[in-house]
Amino acid sequence: MIKLGVLGSGTGSNFAAIAESIKSKKINSVEISIVISDVENAKILDRAAALDIPNKYIPADDFKTKLDGKQEQDYINALKSADVDYIILAGFMRMIKNGLLNAFPQKIVNIHPALLPAFPGLHSWKQALDYGAKFAGCTVHFVDAGMDSGPIIAQAAVPIEDNDTAETLHAKIQIQEHIIFPEVIQLLADGKVKIEGRKVKTENCESNI
Ligand code: GAR
């Protein structure tokens, strides 16, 4: 059984997909111990409350775009108290710094709405659309000190059609996010994720994390 701490700043559709996969036993040996948001009225907290999953607003606004300083320590304390094995970033819109990374080495996983290493940063689906790319997608990856730069665990591609808008494209990407994120979490629970430098193996291997 692995225990997850889910961090999110917004709607929480990825959190909901993971929770639903657990409830319907599509994935097993996984439980969500705590959901934490840096946004007081974030929908992700309401969704967690509706599912009776412990949830907490912990302010992080000492810094604008990162989680750092005393507030980073507040997050570490809450995640350690909840005894989590993995931290799942599900739309958490802050850079993760060394304090949290060192407290949970190789245990922090993020979903990003682009085929990394293309289009890191914000509004990545819009970046792909504006660039004229023919495919967009999503990436589940380990978090390191860079921006969306850690080793890639899984990706799914989505074709960009001529009539796509930012909204239609993000919606199509999110359908894929809700599939691959729970799949990766199952691989973690099964001990089937092995990190070798930049490469992550998930087939016929035993975990080294
Ligand atoms: C998701 O599309 C996720 O990939 C993205 O935020 C959205 C959160 O949606 N994350 C990032 O852009 C991180 N850089 P959700 O709150 O409905 O899960």
Side-chain angles (χ1 to χ4, degrees), residues 4-76:
L4 309 181
V6 178
L7 270 49
S9 307
T11 322
S13 70
N14 278 285
F15 155 70
I18 296 163
E20 168 55 30
S21 299
I22 294 171
K23 201 171 163 206
S24 66
K25 300 196 188 319
K26 227 178 285 165
I27 64 176
N28 51 67
S29 303
V30 178
E31 76 182 36
I32 300 174
S33 297
I34 190 163
V35 174
I36 306 175
S37 183
D38 58 331
V39 175
E40 191 165 10
N41 298 315
K43 194 169 168 192
I44 191 171
L45 295 176
D46 299 337
R47 286 181 132 147
L51 294 168
D52 279 331
I53 295 174
N55 62 92
K56 232 178 181 171
Y57 159 59
I58 304 184
D61 49 11
D62 280 356
F63 298 93
K64 208 168 168 213
T65 57
K66 62 179 179 176
L67 179 63
D68 209 347
K70 184 201 163 296
Q71 295 180 325
E72 178 189 55
Q73 192 57 48
D74 294 341
Y75 275 72
I76 293 170

Side-chain angles (χ1 to χ4, degrees), residues 67-124:
L67 179 63
D68 209 347
K70 184 201 163 296
Q71 295 180 325
E72 178 189 55
Q73 192 57 48
D74 294 341
Y75 275 72
I76 293 170
N77 294 345
L79 291 159
K80 291 280 184 195
S81 298
D83 198 25
V84 310
D85 300 300
Y86 288 92
I87 298 173
I88 301 298
L89 303 184
F92 188 66
M93 303 309 281
R94 288 177 181 274
M95 289 279 295
I96 302 300
K97 306 306 287 183
N98 279 333
L100 190 58
L101 287 169
N102 293 335
F104 293 90
Q106 297 185 313
K107 300 285 188 187
I108 309 178
V109 176
N110 179 48
I111 188 140
H112 182 76
L115 293 174
L116 292 170
F119 310 122
L122 293 178
H123 307 299
S124 305

Side-chain angles (χ1 to χ4, degrees), residues 153-195:
I153 309 170
Q155 294 187 300
V158 166
I160 300 179
E161 317 283 352
D162 288 348
N163 59 358
D164 266 322
T165 63
E167 290 70 33
T168 62
L169 184 56
H170 192 207
K172 287 196 277 189
I173 291 169
Q174 287 216 292
I175 290 170
Q176 296 304 316
E177 292 187 336
H178 300 161
I179 295 169
I180 67 168
F181 218 176
E183 283 177 355
V184 166
I185 289 166
Q186 183 67 72
L187 290 169
L188 291 169
D190 291 344
K192 286 187 178 163
V193 179
K194 186 172 187 184
I195 306 179

